[in-house]
Each structure stands twice: as C-alpha cells, then as structure tokens.
C-alpha cells in the first residue's frame, strides 16, 4: 500500500528544490531546441528538471510508472497501478520569453483515478495542490468549493487562435461565447490556467489540444473543488491521449455546453 502522506511530503520537497534550480537558471544561458514545429520549444532546463524528478521517483517508488513530456519516463500502455504524469515546465515559451507564467505540473493517478495534483508557479512561489477527498490548497490556504457563475459574469481563458481560422475548430463556435462573457484571458500555460480556475481567478478554460501532462494535475485540483474537466463535448478525458479541454466551474460548464459547444459535430 502506498503511503500517500509520505508521497505528498516528498513531492512538495522535490518541487521546491526543482523550483529553486529553475529560478537560478534565469542567470544562465538556455539551450533552446524546437520539437514538432518552430513554436514548440524545449530547453535544457525542461529536460534536466524532468530527469531530476524521474531520478527521485525511480529511487523511492520503483514500482510506479512515469509519463513525462520530455520522454525520459515510460511508454505507457495503461493507467493500471500508480502513474506519475509530469510536465517539468508547462509554458516553456513563457519561460523563455517572459521568465514568468510557467509552472511545474505533477499529477498522480492510481488505476486511472486522480489522487494527487500539484501545480507550482515558481516565480510567484504559489503551490496549488490537492489530494482527492481531502481538499485543495494554494500554499497553506484552503481553497473554497467552486460556486457557479453566469456567462455574463464569467472570465474565461481562451487563446485567440480558436476564434480565427485554424484547423481544429470552426471559429464561429467560440466567437459568440467570447462576445457574451465579461472577459477573456490567455496565459499560455495550461497548468496555470487550470490552477486559476481552481482558485477562482478564472471561471473556465477552453483549449483545443492538450497532452496528459498539461492537465493531469489541474484535473485533480479542479475536481476536488467541485469543478468539471471534460473534452469540448462534455465527455470524460482519456489520460493516455491528447484531447481538447473544457475546465469550468460546475453550473457554468452545463451552460456553455448547452448554448455554444452543442454545435460541435
Ligand atoms: P508546454 O509549454 O508544456 O509545451 C500553451 O497554450 C499551452 O499548450 C501550454 O500549456 C503548452 O505546454 C501546451 N502545448 C503547447 N504545444 C503543445 C502541443 N503540441 N501539444 C500539447 N500541448 C501543447
Ligand atoms: Ca512542458
């Protein structure tokens, strides 16, 4: 049996240590490479941070599986057993260009069920964390269950890409939502955008194609607060695949599905 309290203590310690190293890297020159396209970036710090976590996990928990964005973990066939899903830096473009608006994201699942979630905003020293059934926190502040909100009063996170010509969604579907809400924001880090839904800074977040490591932690934290994380049709996510994401306060989720997203085929 896994001692989740011990896992929680270990992760918090490792995340803070990794955060300190990342902050120190601001003083050094980054090695930057591209992956799938010229805007899909990775640095030596992304790679070193993932290797740091994997080294720690392998030593303490040799029977656990690891899925990491930079590929130093395992090739997962299923979510059976305990699985760590890690993004060493979510928002790498922001890390490189802005030195802010990026985060470490770690979710731990047992037999496919989210147990622990951590999103660490290194620059602001804000650690969002949750354990299933035991509450969600920002640092030591307990977060409140998410209340509902009307569309007119909502601030949603949405990238402008999705209301212009693109090859993932008809821009006519989300443009009316953008007009109807109080405001839109785009931070460029899925993990932080989900942490902001959890903390109430945002009311919902919609995006078209995220990987499991972008959302594994955020899903645990938001769901612990009564929020909902699905694909754009309101269906459950498969954490072994890339997927569109719709994370929201509870009542708002149904309102947006019914009024705007039902047009998706
Ligand atoms: P990353 O920085 O870890 O790559 C940017 O809008 C958000 O989308 C970030 O969370 C970013 O994560 C993620 N992202 C960028 N390119 C992606 C890709 N090709 N597949 C999945 N997620 C991606
Ligand atoms: Ca990343």
């Amino acid at each position: 049996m896994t001692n989740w309290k011990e896992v929680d203590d270990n992760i918090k310690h490792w995340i803070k240590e990794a955060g300190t190293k990342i902050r120190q890297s601001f003083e050094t020159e980054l090695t930057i490479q591209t992956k799938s396209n010229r805007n899909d970036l990775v640095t030596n710090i992304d790679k070193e941070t993932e290797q740091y976590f994997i080294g720690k996990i392998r030593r303490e928990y040799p029977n656990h599986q690891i899925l990491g964005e930079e590929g130093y973990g395992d090739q997962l066939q299923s979510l059976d057993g305990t699985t760590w899903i890690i993004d060493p830096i979510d928002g790498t473009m922001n890390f490189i260009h802005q030195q802010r608006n990026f985060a470490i994201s770690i979710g731990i699942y047992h037999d496919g069920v989210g147990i622990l979630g951590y999103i660490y905003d290194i620059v602001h020293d804000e650690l969002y964390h949750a354990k299933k059934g035991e509450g969600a926190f920002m640092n030591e502040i307990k977060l409140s269950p998410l209340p509902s909100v009307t569309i007119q009063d909502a601030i949603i996170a949405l990238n402008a890409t999705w209301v212009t010509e693109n090859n993932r969604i008809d821009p006519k579907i989300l443009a009316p939502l953008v007009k109807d809400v109080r405001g839109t924001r785009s931070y460029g880090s899925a993990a932080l955008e989900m942490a902001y839904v959890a903390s109430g800074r945002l009311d919902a977040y919609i995006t078209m194609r995220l990987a499991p490591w972008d959302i594994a932690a955020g899903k645990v934290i938001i769901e612990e607060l009564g929020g909902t994380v699905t694909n754009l049709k309101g269906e459950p996510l498969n954490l072994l695949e890339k997927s569109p994401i719709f994370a929201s306060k509870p009542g708002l989720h149904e309102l947006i599905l019914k009024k705007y997203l039902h047009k998706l085929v």
Side-chain angles (χ1 to χ4, degrees), residues 166-186:
N166 72 86
N167 53 22
R168 299 213 187 275
I169 187 169
D170 179 349
K172 290 200 280 295
I173 292 182
L174 291 173
L177 173 65
V178 169
K179 272 194 186 157
D180 291 348
V181 291
R182 173 164 285 167
T184 56
R185 300 288 184 271
S186 182

Side-chain angles (χ1 to χ4, degrees), residues 86-146:
I86 300 179
D87 192 342
I89 298 184
D90 182 73
T92 298
M93 192 187 291
N94 291 343
F95 171 62
I96 295 167
H97 284 257
Q98 309 181 321
Q99 287 84 50
R100 70 192 64 209
N101 296 325
F102 63 90
I104 294 171
S105 174
I106 300 180
I108 302 186
Y109 285 66
H110 186 73
D111 290 341
V113 177
I115 307 290
L116 293 164
Y118 303 82
I119 297 172
Y120 184 40
D121 178 340
I122 294 157
V123 170
H124 296 104
D125 192 27
E126 290 182 342
L127 176 62
Y128 299 83
H129 55 105
K131 174 156 190 279
K132 186 177 170 56
E134 294 185 13
F137 299 80
M138 197 279 278
N139 292 335
E140 296 319 313
I141 301 167
K142 195 168 200 300
L143 298 172
S144 302
L146 295 173

Side-chain angles (χ1 to χ4, degrees), residues 35 41 46 69-70 86-92 103 213-214:
K35 296 196 280 187
L41 306 171
D46 298 63
E69 173 166 20
E70 308 313 336
I86 300 179
D87 192 342
I89 298 184
D90 182 73
T92 298
W213 43 80
D214 298 318

Side-chain angles (χ1 to χ4, degrees), residues 145-159:
L146 295 173
S148 193
V149 62
T150 63
I151 289 167
Q152 286 73 18
D153 288 339
I155 299 181
I156 60 166
L158 185 85
N159 192 308

Side-chain angles (χ1 to χ4, degrees), residues 54-71:
I54 290 179
K56 297 282 189 194
I57 298 160
R58 293 262 190 252
R59 207 174 58 222
E60 292 291 331
Y61 307 106
N63 300 327
H64 292 183
Q65 308 191 87
I66 308 169
L67 176 63
E69 173 166 20
E70 308 313 336

